[in-house]
Amino acid sequence: MDEEVPERTRPDVVGLLCTPVAQRFDSAWNRINEVDLPVKDEADCYIRHSAYRDQLVFAPPTQHSDLSVAARQALALVTFRRWRSAVGLQMEELDSLEDHLWEYLTVTSETFRSWFERDPFTRRWPDSLQSRLREAVTACHLRYPAVVEGIDALISITYGGLFGGIESDWSLHDLNRVFALTSSQVRAPSADLFVHSLWIDKDWGRHDPALVARWRAIPG
């Protein structure tokens, strides 16, 4: 009787934790994700690696680096709204700025130009606007330079990458600047709430008016 040969099994699939940091295209215009792989037993050391989308699988818990630029902007806007409510910073121009940044998520190529030039906070601030902001900030016992820094960061998440290739680190840096302003008074919503729009699917994000409405409805 022949000796039984054990059935050959396929090796286990091993996943490596990585962080998407940039995107580019190959010669056939297929999107390639540049990801950082941590070096084992080396703190803050990474190896840059290229991967196609079908080689990457999203793994919770959700990190801010997982989110698209649009999702990061939405997260920052919800956080900023919570913070303004907590500190009592009421100003119509800031309401309009938030509406303006939300609107980008549904803007079209036909409406982009009029949208881009519409809000004064996204251009050079006139003296009258600066004076009203300073008065509102002072009334809330806040530091004016810190608030200006936070507003600039809120705008830059989107505006910082409108006219050229965008790097993941840019909007993450701006998102952290918003958190630097708001974290003492409020907690940012979980990144899990924005996971339907990821960086690796498309850096600016896949979203529609219904998804944007859901994001805006997150309690402030």
Side-chain angles (χ1 to χ4, degrees):
M1 185 175 182
D2 294 337
E3 183 178 353
E4 184 177 352
V5 178
E7 181 181 353
R8 177 173 294 179
T9 59
R10 296 179 61 184
D12 292 335
V13 177
V14 177
L16 299 176
L17 180 67
C18 66
T19 301
V21 293
Q23 295 185 346
R24 60 184 176 85
F25 294 90
D26 64 15
S27 58
W29 289 100
N30 297 307
R31 188 181 295 268
I32 298 175
N33 292 274
E34 298 291 342
V35 301
D36 280 346
L37 300 173
V39 178
K40 186 177 181 181
D41 300 327
E42 295 288 341
D44 299 322
C45 290
Y46 300 90
I47 296 175
R48 186 64 52 88
H49 181 73
S50 299
Y52 288 105
R53 176 65 180 93
D54 59 5
Q55 296 175 289
L56 300 174
V57 177
F58 174 75
T62 314
Q63 306 295 319
H64 295 143
S65 59
D66 297 323
L67 303 178
S68 69
V69 177
R72 295 171 193 176
Q73 181 71 82
L75 190 158
L77 283 165
V78 174
T79 304
F80 189 71
R81 184 181 67 211
R82 288 183 178 182
W83 174 79
R84 286 184 59 206
S85 178
V87 300
L89 181 58
Q90 303 302 320
M91 186 176 175
E92 289 184 4
E93 289 89 345
L94 289 176
D95 295 338
S96 296
L97 172 64
E98 292 178 22
D99 289 340
H100 177 75
L101 294 174
W102 278 116
E103 187 180 348
Y104 175 73
L105 304 183
T106 55
V107 77
T108 67
S109 57
E110 291 76 18
T111 60
F112 174 82
R113 185 175 182 84
S114 63
W115 168 85
F116 176 76
E117 299 177 343
R118 188 176 304 156
D119 193 275
F121 265 113
T122 62
R123 304 192 302 275
R124 184 174 180 176
W125 301 2
D127 291 341
S128 58
L129 178 59
Q130 294 183 54
S131 296
R132 289 194 299 276
L133 178 61
R134 188 181 293 275
E135 290 175 3
V137 167
T138 301
C140 295
H141 307 287
L142 300 170
R143 292 181 58 251
Y144 182 73
V147 174
V148 170
E149 173 78 6
I151 294 172
D152 178 73
L154 185 72
I155 296 168
S156 187
I157 292 173
T158 289
Y159 272 74
L162 284 179
F163 299 107
I166 188 167
E167 299 285 344
S168 179
D169 288 347
W170 299 351
S171 55
L172 285 176
H173 173 69
D174 291 322
L175 181 60
N176 285 326
R177 289 166 64 205
V178 173
F179 292 158
L181 171 67
T182 61
S183 59
S184 296
Q185 288 86 15
V186 299
R187 176 176 294 182
S190 170
D192 291 338
L193 298 174
F194 304 87
V195 76
H196 297 95
S197 185
L198 295 175
W199 170 271
I200 58 175
D201 292 319
K202 187 180 180 183
D203 40 12
W204 282 98
R206 295 176 177 174
H207 46 272
D208 55 35
L211 180 58
V212 174
R214 284 167 51 192
W215 286 344
R216 294 196 72 166
I218 294 172

